[in-house]
Amino acid sequence: MQENLRVVLMKIESQLMEYGFSWENVLYIHLYIADMREFAEANETYVRSITQEKCRFGVPSRSTIELPLLQVGLGRAYIEVLVATDQSKRVLHVQSISCWAPSCIGPYSQVFILLAFSNTCLLGHA
C-alpha cells in the first residue's frame, strides 16, 4: 500500500506542477483505497507527503473511501483532487477527541474559505 500510494502522490504532484499548481492549490482530496484495513499505512504515507510545509495556507481536506480498486485494475490507491486557481484558501482544522473515531484519522473536521474557484480535477493511480 505505501509504495502504491507514494507513486500516486508523486504522479499527482507532477500533474499539479505541469499545470502551474502545487499542493497549496488543492482544496480537497478523495483518497480511495482498496482495503480500509490498510488505512494506517496509507495515512502514514499521506501525512509524510502532504505536509504543512508544502501547504502554507493549510493542508487540503480529505476523505478516505474503500473501493474495489484491484478488481478494476486501479491498484491499491486512487486519488482525485479539487484544485483552486488562486491561493486565497484559508483552512481551520478542529481537533477532537472521539470515543468512536480512531486517533489516526487526524482533524475531526475542517472548514476552508476560498475567494476564487476552479473546476480543475486531477486523477491519479499507480
Side-chain angles (χ1 to χ4, degrees), residues 43-114:
N43 194 56
E44 185 180 316
T45 302
Y46 180 91
V47 298
R48 274 192 312 230
S49 299
I50 302 175
T51 62
Q52 187 64 43
E53 290 76 30
K54 290 182 180 180
C55 307
R56 62 190 164 133
F57 303 115
V59 295
S61 298
R62 173 190 71 178
S63 63
T64 304
I65 302 158
E66 180 180 327
L67 286 178
L69 300 173
L70 293 170
Q71 290 89 323
V72 294
L74 293 176
R76 305 199 66 70
Y78 183 86
I79 293 178
E80 297 174 346
V81 298
L82 182 62
V83 178
T85 57
D86 72 352
Q87 294 185 349
S88 66
K89 175 179 80 169
R90 290 181 293 156
V91 179
L92 169 66
H93 294 274
V94 179
Q95 194 73 33
S96 175
I97 307 261
S98 172
C99 62
W100 58 268
S103 61
C104 64
I105 287 177
Y108 185 72
S109 64
Q110 293 180 304
V111 175
F112 64 83
I113 298 170
L114 180 68

